[in-house]
């Protein structure tokens, strides 16, 4: 019996690149005749022709499966749906925009025949990306790697191929706030990293705004690290300590020079600083609280509108 590889592709408004992507992946599948394929396209509530293109493909190619969401739920939800619906012995996660070159699937499959459970990818350059965006990403990866117990690899992409056991492990984590990069490294398993140069999107536009990325970055930290809470406590202790020294200083000065009044500019600065730190810490706690709030609602990650995957 040939093994089955499920290729999960999350698509949100990708009508421009889908034909290019399908052509390419079809080529690759022809080079890998020793395995079966299913191409599982997850239409994340696209507003363009994405779904109709996928449906047309599924008419001419029985390997093409689709899941279509009732609205846009985000890439994390799309990947989760793909993993849930995939039937393969191996499952690959890919973007539709050709930034995850399909040709690597061959290498990935070969590595899985060795002793590896997961083959993951990272990009070593960020060519073709806005400078400021790469700088922020670099700093952020350093930060989150230090802060969380799980390892966060700089430049890691979601593009990867996994054995069934790994997929089941990922699905067994049923948290609502899913930060995949963290989840992947949390489940562990023997991982082979493939590095490649950043590839430009073949067509269409990126779905990420700068603000969106900032939110994603903060979500990543709160999902896999409680270090910010520790920092809040640290600030508390630090400021108590400073206050103690200040009190002693004021008492002694009053005893020696008399009149404690005066110096209100410094007072205002101190009040502003301390209340700023307080608000920051309340904000940090608030981020965690909002996560707990969303978790307790137990809402579904996505809602499927139609599918041809049984
Ligand atoms: N995507 C998705 N849902 C979204 C946003 C993006 O399924 O809400 C898909 C998108 O179609 C693409 C992949 O996620 O296949 C990566 O998106 P994009 O290329 O915009 O991100 P970038 O590569 O710029 O980080
Ligand atoms: Mg992309």
């Amino acid at each position: 019996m040939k093994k089955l590889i499920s290729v999960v592709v999350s698509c949100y408004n990708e009508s421009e690149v889908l034909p290019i992507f399908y052509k390419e992946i079809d080529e690759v599948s022809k080079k890998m005749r020793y395995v079966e394929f299913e191409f599982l396209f997850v239409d994340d509530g696209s507003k363009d022709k994405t779904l109709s293109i996928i449906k047309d493909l599924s008419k001419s190619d029985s390997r093409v499966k689709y899941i279509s969401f009732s609205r846009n739920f985000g890439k994390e939800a799309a990947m989760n749906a793909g993993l849930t619906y995939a039937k393969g012995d191996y499952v690959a996660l890919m973007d539709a925009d050709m930034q995850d070159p399909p040709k690597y699937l061959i290498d990935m499959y070969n590595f899985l025949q060795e002793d590896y459970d997961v083959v993951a990818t990272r990009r070593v350059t960020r060519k073709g990306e806005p400078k400021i965006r790469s700088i922020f990403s670099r700093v952020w990866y350093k930060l989150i790697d230090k802060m969380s117990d799980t390892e966060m690899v700089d430049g890691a992409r979601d593009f990867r191929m996994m054995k069934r056991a790994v997929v089941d492990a990922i699905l067994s984590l049923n948290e609502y706030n899913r930060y995949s990069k963290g989840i992947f490294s949390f489940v562990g398993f023997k991982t082979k990293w493939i590095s490649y140069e950043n590839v430009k999107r073949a067509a269409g536009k990126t779905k990420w705004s700068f603000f969106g990325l900032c939110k994603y970055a903060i979500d990543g930290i709160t999902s896999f690290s409680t270090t910010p809470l520790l920092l809040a406590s640290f600030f508390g202790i630090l400021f108590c300590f400073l206050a103690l020294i200040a009190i002693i200083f004021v008492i002694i000065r009053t005893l020696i020079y008399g009149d404690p009044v005066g110096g209100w500019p410094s007072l205002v600065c101190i009040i502003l600083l301390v209340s700023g730190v307080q608000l920051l810490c309340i904000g940090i706690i608030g981020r965690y609280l909002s996560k707990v709030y969303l978790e307790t609602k137990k809402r579904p990650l996505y809602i499927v509108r139609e599918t041809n995957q049984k």
Side-chain angles (χ1 to χ4, degrees):
M1 263 283 279
K2 282 189 195 170
K3 295 275 189 201
L4 176 67
I5 299 183
S6 304
V7 180
V8 171
V9 193
S10 8
C11 314
Y12 177 51
N13 296 344
E14 300 289 7
S15 55
E16 283 177 53
V17 286
L18 266 179
I20 312 174
F21 176 81
Y22 176 75
K23 196 171 149 270
E24 194 88 2
I25 195 106
D26 187 45
E27 290 290 319
V28 171
S29 73
K30 277 179 192 140
K31 288 186 194 141
M32 297 176 74
R33 293 216 181 272
Y34 40 90
V35 278
E36 302 268 9
F37 272 96
E38 72 171 357
F39 306 127
L40 188 50
F41 291 94
V42 185
D43 164 39
D44 187 9
S46 300
K47 292 175 186 72
D48 62 359
K49 293 208 170 66
T50 302
L51 182 60
S52 64
I53 294 175
I54 302 172
K55 278 184 173 171
D56 285 345
L57 290 175
S58 74
K59 276 174 203 144
S60 57
D61 184 346
S62 65
R63 299 172 300 174
V64 174
K65 306 281 162 45
Y66 60 86
I67 307 165
S68 180
F69 287 175
S70 60
R71 64 168 173 86
N72 179 245
F73 281 90
K75 191 187 172 193
E76 294 288 342
M79 290 196 292
N80 190 263
L83 292 178
T84 309
Y85 279 74
K87 297 208 181 75
D89 306 289
Y90 303 96
V91 181
L93 291 174
M94 298 185 80
D95 287 359
D97 59 6
M98 305 297 293
Q99 283 190 298
D100 301 333
K103 62 175 188 216
Y104 286 110
L105 290 177
I106 305 174
D107 292 341
M108 288 179 158
Y109 177 79
N110 291 339
F111 277 120
L112 290 183
Q113 303 317 301
E114 293 171 19
D115 197 25
Y116 292 106
D117 304 306
V118 184
V119 184
T121 57
R122 58 188 293 256
R123 45 182 178 180
V124 281
T125 57
R126 286 174 173 273
K127 252 193 291 176
E129 212 184 56
K131 258 262 149 20
I132 177 118
R133 189 171 149 174
S134 348
I135 294 172
F136 269 97
S137 309
R138 281 262 147 75
V139 172
W140 180 78
Y141 270 110
K142 285 232 166 65
L143 204 70
I144 190 172
D145 190 40
K146 284 248 156 57
M147 279 209 256
S148 60
D149 300 332
T150 41
E151 192 196 7
M152 302 286 169
V153 180
D154 183 13
R157 293 189 58 84
D158 292 328
F159 182 29
R160 50 175 49 223
M161 195 191 280
M162 303 169 276
K163 285 187 178 160
R164 186 79 249 171
V166 185
V167 176
D168 291 342
I170 291 171
L171 290 175
S172 74
L173 300 183
N174 48 15
E175 59 216 69
Y176 179 79
N177 293 289
R178 297 187 84 83
Y179 175 67
S180 285
K181 291 191 172 76
I183 290 177
F184 294 153
S185 91
F186 176 86
V187 298
F189 287 96
K190 231 179 147 212
T191 307
K192 167 80 190 168
W193 286 93
I194 298 182
S195 304
Y196 63 86
E197 303 251 318
N198 191 32
V199 185
K200 268 201 191 143
R201 193 175 237 290
K205 280 201 288 284
T206 174
K207 310 298 175 306
W208 288 104
S209 62
F210 192 72
F211 182 71
L213 274 176
C214 291
K215 193 173 167 298
Y216 181 68
I218 293 174
D219 280 347
I221 291 179
T222 45
S223 297
F224 275 86
S225 166
T226 48
T227 310
L229 290 173
L230 206 68
L231 279 179
S233 319
F234 170 77
F235 278 132
I237 294 170
L238 181 74
F239 277 85
C240 285
F241 183 70
L242 290 179
L244 198 70
I245 293 176
I247 289 170
I248 295 170
F249 174 75
V250 169
I251 289 177
I252 293 176
R253 202 180 58 168
T254 314
L255 287 179
I256 298 174
Y257 296 102
D259 187 24
V261 191
W264 79 267
S266 55
L267 199 68
V268 170
C269 294
I270 292 170
I271 290 177
L272 283 180
L273 174 70
V274 174
S275 51
V277 172
Q278 274 176 353
L279 281 181
L280 174 73
C281 294
I282 293 175
I284 292 175
I285 298 171
R287 289 306 306 170
Y288 285 91
L289 191 65
S290 70
K291 291 271 145 123
V292 177
Y293 173 60
L294 289 173
E295 289 295 337
T296 52
K297 287 193 188 190
K298 296 229 172 303
R299 283 186 178 157
L301 286 170
Y302 52 85
I303 294 166
V304 176
R305 186 169 157 270
E306 58 176 310
T307 175
N308 68 346
Q309 175 77 307
K310 278 167 235 62

